[in-house]
Every structure is written in C-alpha cells, then in structure tokens.
Amino acid sequence: MAESVRIVVCGDENTGKSSLITSFVKDIFVSGKIQPVLPPITIGAPEGITTTIVDTSALPQERNTLRKEIRRSNVICLVYSDHYSYERVSLFWLPFFRSLGVNLPVVLCANKSDIAPDVEAEEEMMPIMMEFKEIDSCIRASAKEKRNVVETVYLCQRAVVYPIAPLYDSKEQNLKLAAIAALQRIFFLCDKDQDGFLNDLEIQNLQLKCFNKTLADHELEEMKTVIRKANSQCATEEGITERGFIILNKFFCEKARHETVWTILRTFHYTDNLSLKDSFLYPKFDVPPNSSAELSPIGYRYFFDLFLLFDKDNDGGLNAGELTALFAPTPGLPPSWVESNFPSSTVRSETGHITLQGWLAQWSMTTFVDPKTTLAYLAYLGFESREKGGTTAALKVTKPRKRRRRPGRVERNVVLCYVLGAAGSGKSCILDAFLNRIFNTTYHPTIKTRTAVNSVELQGGKQCYLILEELGELEPAILENSAKLNACDVVCYTYDSSDPDSFAYIVELRKRYPQLDELPAVYAATKADLDKTTQRYEMQPDVYTREMGMTAPLHVSSTWNSISELFVTIAEAALVPSTAYPRLEGEPIDRTNLYIASGVVVATVATLYFMWKRGYP
C-alpha cells in the first residue's frame, strides 16, 4: 500500500481547479479572486497516508512545469466545467498525458455541476471512459456548493491506494488473470475442508479475518443473491463455489468497490502487482555456522494434517491428482524436488504413491538443505500460527555441531551422509534398499547427484531422518568444496566384497582428499550374498579399519533385510561422531579412562588402609 499520495490537478483555464482545492482545504467557497496557481498543499489522513495536492496552470508558457509535476505525481485529477473543456479532455489532455509516457490513473471531475444539475454523470463520461482505460473513476462536483469536493479527493487517494488497473480490464469488462489467480488461491486457503465450497462459517471467518467483523444474515443472503443473478450454480446450499467467489469480486470492481477486493488481497499479503510480499515468503531466518534447520513440532503437525486433508481416498498415499490439488496455491513442486527426481527420492507405497512417512521425510530434507524453500511453501500453502514470526514458527535451528573427537551427542534429528565408493560398488542399491525398493539386477551408472531420505529408528526408540546422497560425476567437485563437506554429518564408504579391486578405491580417495578424515565414517562391504574375495591391497579391509581404531566393515546385501542395520549404524555415527572417527597417524592413544580407573583404585586402597589403621592401633 502506498504511504503517500501526490495529486496533480490539471485542466483548462477557468475550469475551477484552484476553487476546488480551496473549497476542500477551507471547507468554504471563496468567491473573491484566487491566485492563478496555488502552492502545493499537504494534508494527513487517519490511515497514516500523506496526501499532497498540486495545482497547475494550462498556459503554454507553464507547460514545462506541468510536465514535471505530472511525472512527480501518483494520480491526475482532470477537471472540466463546460462543453469546450469537456471536448478538450479527449482531444488534448488525455493524449497529452500519454505523450509524456506516464502510466497514471486519471480521476475525471466535472466541476461547476451547479450550472447544469440535471446532467447524468454516467451518460456524459462513459464514452470517454470506454476510450481511455487510464480513467479510474469520474465524478460531478461543485466547488461553489461544496458538492462532492471531499469525494473527489477521496477518489484520487483511492486510485493510488486501491488501484483498479491491476484488478479489472474495463475494455474486456472482466477481472485480469493475475487477480483471478490470486483470488483462486485465497478461495483455496479459506476452503478449510477442501470440499470446493465456502460454507457460511468459512465465509464468516474470511470476513472476520479481512474486515474484523462478521456479516449479518441478510448481508450474507444478499451476497449470495448477487452471485446467483450471474450464475445460479455458483451459490448453493453447500456454499459459494470458486467461480462464485470470482463473480462476487468482479461485482465489487464493477460497482467501484475495489477497495473491498484490495482489503482481501492485502490481508493475504499481496502487493500492488498481485505478487506475494517477499517479506512474507522469505522472512528473516538465520542459520548460524555448523547449525542446521529442522521442522519444529508445529511444522511436522502442519504437514501431517495437510497430508491427511488431501488423501481423499484414504489409501495412505498421495497420488498424482492429490499432489496436484495440494500444490494448487503454489508455483508447483519446489525446484529442488524436481532436481532430486521427486517422488523417487523418498518412500512410496506399492502403487507408487507418496506415503506419510515419505512426505514428512521429503520436507525434512528440504528444510535441512534449503529452509527458505520450506518457508516459502508454508506461506503459499497458508500456514498460520499464533506465535510470533509467522511461518518461522514451523522451523527450528539446531545447536551448533562441533567437529570434535571427544564423547558427546549431536543434537539433530536430520543428518546427511555421503555414500562414496568405486563404480559398481553398490551405492545405488543401498539407496534403493533404504527406500524399500525391489532389488534390480540391471546396472545403471549414476551420473547426476542422487538423494534418498527416510526415517530411521535408533536404539531406544528415538527416530531421526537420514539423507543418503550419492555424488555421481560431481564427486570431485563436492569433496573439494569445504562448504559441502561441512554440511555432511557422516561418510559411508562402500566397496564390493566380491570385487578384488573395489576397496583400493576407498584408500586412494582418502589419500586424495585428506579432509575426509575430519568426518565420522562407516565402512560397508556390499554384495555379501556373493562369494567374498581377497582385496588387492596391502591390508584387508578389517585390518585397515582396525589400524585406524574403527569398527570393521559391515557386510551387507541389498537382498537381505538386515541391511537396515547399516542405516542405523550410519545415523548413530552421525549423532555420536566420537565412535566413528578414524585415528589419525601419530595420534596418541586416549588413556583417559585408564587414568580415571587407576585413580579410583588408588583412592579405594588408601581409604581401606586408613580405615584399617583406625581399627587396629
């Protein structure tokens, strides 16, 4: 909404421009001579909108000043008072405004209406309004009788604060597409039960939200009557349809009540160009270094309820049609979802529909990777909270994670794991097994980065979300990127236990990227259902890991149900990293526990000796 309005008053000489302004300011008609051009006058308003009224001259020698004032203003009040000045409106003034290259609303004012009181404003002005769409409104006024003087200024203010141009096409006599799209989204958000109708309660909730009051029964019935006159099917006993809601707002625009439409739009955070406010889509939400963003309990509950609301067939999954309906008030699927080949990135049912588990996992990953996307889609989908911060109430920031080898637990519910290993070592099969996919014997090399997210139940019943990422051809670029590595919580090294050359790739990878040793790691020997072979390296994998003080590789197979133990191990390594760090070369053995135990023994012996001495002098 505009915070200030600058009105430039134009028109032929002797049309009463200065008298109109004086009558408005002093609330009296000045019959004596008034100076040719009044100085700019600034007034305040209860809504906090400052209004400046600028008088102008139509004399040719003042044309440059006129041009400057028009370009500085927000709205033009074009005044005429007789047949000659009326003809000049379409022959000179409106073409002149167009020649300046300005796109300002024009309020057409017929002054001195006391001279011809019987003239109908609509009959007189409609031909000009039909020809020049920049005319916002028209009015007949009289500075002498103080008739419609205040209303003229109000129409100028309204033309700026509540512009009709973005909403309604006067030539087509219909709402513009952007306005229809915005109103369709508002209908969607107000239709809480998603039955396709706004029932009386939903209408009253909308009225209360936008205007801070409810409708009387007769007002509600009048609204429905207006809709039925246009289309009897759009207002039924079940409520108002989406089409009926559009018809109602079109009616408001046609009856010069477009401030009503704008009040609704602005309540739902729309700007004058009918886009959602950036501050609404992307509120301030900072994630400090080494911290991450997660959904809060409120956020999980919201997405949980959203899933149940749109699972119309109650089959426990969202099919393509249900997903389309759910994302109707948004620009579509988030770009990151499209890039990750959603829905193959998360858990699906046997029929290929997104399960509740997969739905929550996908949003957990989105929030972890790009919280701004989650915030924007919460705004699009109509998330509301009584807590401060708006959509940020659905998110939380985790405590900073410290890269240290001392015992301690990482306070996170979502962790990221890079799955590394030689081509053909079974990385993709691990991701498929993680998403409960049927094992596929056909080998498809991974080129683009691939992600999979699912929940993992840890020991003790606690649950976390684990993101597995296979890097593909981007592996070198990602491992050389410190920011990408810092985002990773744990690494899973995979090698084919039936391929003698597979393990050597891991050794070379660690030598090439020594920064990997700053991450906790888990080793997995894949294809354990096949014959195990000796690896062509100076040390076998179990000896190699033992030399680093790490747990021996887990032997897993994508065809075994026990592969789920690997995912639990990876998650535990991310959350309790001290158990999965490799011991660096030359790193001293941690004898802290030995020292503590020795101290306890010495203290115990000393206590017993002291007691013995006191008992036997």
Side-chain angles (χ1 to χ4, degrees):
M1 183 183 295
E3 296 180 357
S4 63
V5 176
R6 190 175 179 89
I7 305 169
V8 58
V9 183
C10 302
D12 287 345
E13 293 299 302
N14 300 316
T15 54
K17 301 188 296 296
S18 300
S19 296
L20 203 63
I21 296 172
T22 304
S23 182
F24 171 76
V25 174
K26 296 187 175 183
D27 198 27
I28 59 172
F29 176 68
V30 179
S31 57
K33 190 174 182 181
I34 303 174
Q35 63 189 92
V37 178
L38 297 175
I41 299 169
T42 301
I43 57 175
E47 297 82 6
I49 300 171
T50 302
T51 301
T52 301
I53 304 174
V54 181
D55 193 10
T56 61
S57 171
L59 296 176
Q61 60 267 31
E62 298 294 334
R63 197 59 48 85
N64 285 336
T65 303
L66 177 62
R67 292 190 183 96
K68 291 178 182 178
E69 291 297 348
I70 291 173
R71 291 194 172 103
R72 292 180 60 193
S73 298
N74 307 113
V75 58
I76 299 170
C77 179
L78 180 55
V79 182
Y80 71 91
S81 61
D82 53 25
H83 182 73
Y84 174 76
S85 56
Y86 170 78
E87 293 292 333
R88 291 259 298 167
V89 167
S90 56
L91 294 176
F92 171 75
W93 284 106
L94 290 169
F96 173 67
F97 298 151
R98 288 184 175 181
S99 70
L100 297 179
V102 296
N103 187 20
L104 298 178
V106 177
V107 173
L108 191 58
C109 176
N111 193 20
K112 303 182 182 181
S113 61
D114 53 291
I115 297 176
D118 298 330
V119 176
E120 287 291 334
E122 185 174 342
E123 182 181 341
E124 180 182 67
M125 299 177 178
M126 189 55 67
I128 299 179
M129 293 186 70
M130 293 299 293
E131 183 180 355
F132 297 92
K133 64 177 183 178
E134 55 264 49
I135 298 179
D136 179 272
S137 54
C138 58
I139 189 170
R140 288 180 60 81
S142 171
K144 183 177 182 179
E145 297 182 351
K146 294 186 293 181
R147 184 191 308 149
N148 288 339
V149 174
V150 174
E151 288 76 4
T152 300
V153 175
Y154 168 73
L155 287 177
C156 292
Q157 292 172 325
R158 190 183 69 164
V160 178
V161 179
Y162 304 108
I164 187 65
L167 302 179
Y168 190 75
D169 189 326
S170 56
K171 283 190 175 181
E172 297 293 332
Q173 295 188 349
N174 205 351
L175 291 175
K176 292 187 176 180
L177 293 178
I180 292 174
L183 292 169
Q184 286 174 333
R185 175 178 172 271
I186 292 172
F187 179 91
F188 176 96
L189 299 181
C190 295
D191 182 16
K192 297 298 183 181
D193 55 8
Q194 287 299 304
D195 64 347
F197 294 89
L198 290 186
N199 57 43
D200 289 356
L201 178 60
E202 290 167 338
I203 293 171
Q204 294 289 21
N205 288 338
L206 172 63
Q207 179 76 12
L208 189 62
K209 179 183 178 73
C210 297
F211 303 98
N212 203 29
K213 64 178 182 179
T214 56
L215 293 168
D217 291 343
H218 72 276
E219 291 175 322
L220 186 58
E221 190 56 38
E222 286 174 3
M223 179 188 298
K224 293 179 180 178
T225 300
V226 167
I227 297 171
R228 291 192 188 103
K229 285 182 179 179
N231 189 323
S232 60
Q233 303 299 317
C234 292
T236 66
E237 292 183 358
E238 294 176 281
I240 296 173
T241 66
E242 180 188 277
R243 178 62 188 154
F245 186 63
I246 302 299
I247 289 172
L248 180 63
N249 283 277
K250 178 188 175 185
F251 172 80
F252 290 146
C253 290
E254 289 173 339
K255 297 303 178 181
R257 292 175 56 190
H258 42 281
E259 62 267 33
T260 302
V261 183
W262 273 117
T263 301
I264 296 172
L265 291 167
R266 285 177 178 144
T267 301
F268 285 85
H269 308 282
Y270 281 92
T271 64
D272 284 358
N273 61 6
L274 294 177
S275 62
L276 288 171
K277 293 179 182 177
D278 284 345
S279 59
F280 175 62
L281 291 177
Y282 307 106
K284 185 178 180 181
F285 186 79
D286 297 325
V287 181
N290 300 320
S291 295
S292 64
E294 297 179 358
L295 289 174
S296 67
I298 295 174
Y300 277 115
R301 183 69 196 183
Y302 176 75
F303 284 115
F304 176 87
D305 292 341
L306 203 64
F307 180 94
L308 296 183
L309 180 62
F310 284 90
D311 182 17
K312 298 296 185 181
D313 52 11
N314 295 315
D315 65 345
L318 295 179
N319 58 40
E322 291 166 340
L323 278 173
T324 300
L326 191 155
F327 282 100
T330 75
L333 290 177
S336 59
W337 290 28
V338 177
E339 291 172 6
S340 64
N341 201 24
F342 176 84
S344 67
S345 57
T346 192
V347 185
R348 290 181 286 177
S349 64
E350 293 180 356
T351 55
H353 303 161
I354 307 304
T355 65
L356 176 59
Q357 181 183 357
W359 173 251
L360 296 178
Q362 184 72 23
W363 281 112
S364 297
M365 178 173 68
T366 303
T367 307
F368 178 87
V369 175
D370 185 12
K372 285 188 175 182
T373 294
T374 300
L375 288 171
Y377 274 78
L378 284 167
Y380 285 127
L381 293 167
F383 171 83
E384 294 178 338
S385 174
R386 294 180 180 178
E387 297 186 16
K388 293 181 179 180
T391 53
T392 59
L395 273 62
K396 67 176 183 178
V397 177
T398 63
K399 292 181 179 179
R401 176 194 57 201
K402 296 180 179 179
R403 297 288 193 193
R404 60 185 183 184
R405 297 166 186 269
R406 287 180 292 175
R409 190 173 185 87
V410 175
E411 297 297 326
R412 292 191 176 187
N413 294 318
V414 184
V415 291
L416 171 63
C417 171
Y418 288 160
V419 182
L420 306 178
S425 62
K427 300 186 294 296
S428 297
C429 291
I430 288 177
L431 269 65
D432 287 337
F434 186 48
L435 299 177
N436 304 318
R437 305 279 165 77
I438 298 175
F439 175 70
N440 188 351
T441 57
T442 306
Y443 174 63
H444 297 284
T446 301
I447 300 173
K448 295 175 59 178
T449 300
R450 182 191 170 194
T451 57
V453 60
N454 198 353
S455 59
V456 175
E457 186 172 339
L458 308 174
Q459 296 178 2
K462 184 178 179 180
Q463 188 184 68
C464 80
Y465 288 97
L466 174 62
I467 305 168
L468 298 181
E469 187 165 335
E470 186 183 1
L471 306 184
E473 292 184 347
L474 292 177
E475 181 179 284
I478 292 175
L479 296 184
E480 289 172 359
N481 188 320
S482 58
K484 291 285 187 182
L485 274 184
N486 190 52
C488 179
D489 295 284
V490 62
V491 175
C492 178
Y493 294 109
T494 64
Y495 70 95
D496 181 354
S497 60
S498 66
D499 180 358
D501 298 314
S502 187
F503 185 73
Y505 180 87
I506 295 176
V507 179
E508 292 301 318
L509 191 70
R510 289 187 62 236
K511 289 179 180 178
R512 195 179 315 126
Y513 304 104
Q515 58 268 35
L516 286 171
D517 289 341
E518 297 299 318
L519 300 173
V522 171
Y523 286 77
T526 61
K527 305 182 185 180
D529 56 316
L530 304 179
D531 292 336
K532 180 181 178 181
T533 186
T534 302
Q535 295 294 316
R536 294 193 182 102
Y537 185 65
E538 58 188 37
M539 284 187 290
Q540 292 305 296
D542 54 344
V543 178
Y544 181 83
T545 52
R546 186 169 61 247
E547 286 291 318
M548 292 190 297
M550 299 187 67
T551 304
L554 284 172
H555 288 263
V556 297
S557 170
S558 297
T559 61
W560 296 350
N561 292 331
S562 59
I563 194 173
S564 60
E565 296 178 9
L566 172 63
F567 309 131
V568 175
T569 302
I570 293 173
E572 288 285 3
L575 297 174
V576 191
S578 59
T579 62
Y581 274 118
R583 185 172 68 242
L584 301 179
E585 188 176 347
E587 182 180 10
I589 298 175
D590 187 1
R591 292 188 172 87
T592 303
N593 293 335
L594 177 62
Y595 294 149
I596 294 173
S598 300
V600 171
V601 171
V602 170
T604 303
V605 171
T607 302
L608 292 174
Y609 176 75
F610 177 73
M611 293 174 64
W612 177 79
K613 288 288 286 181
R614 290 192 64 182
Y616 298 95

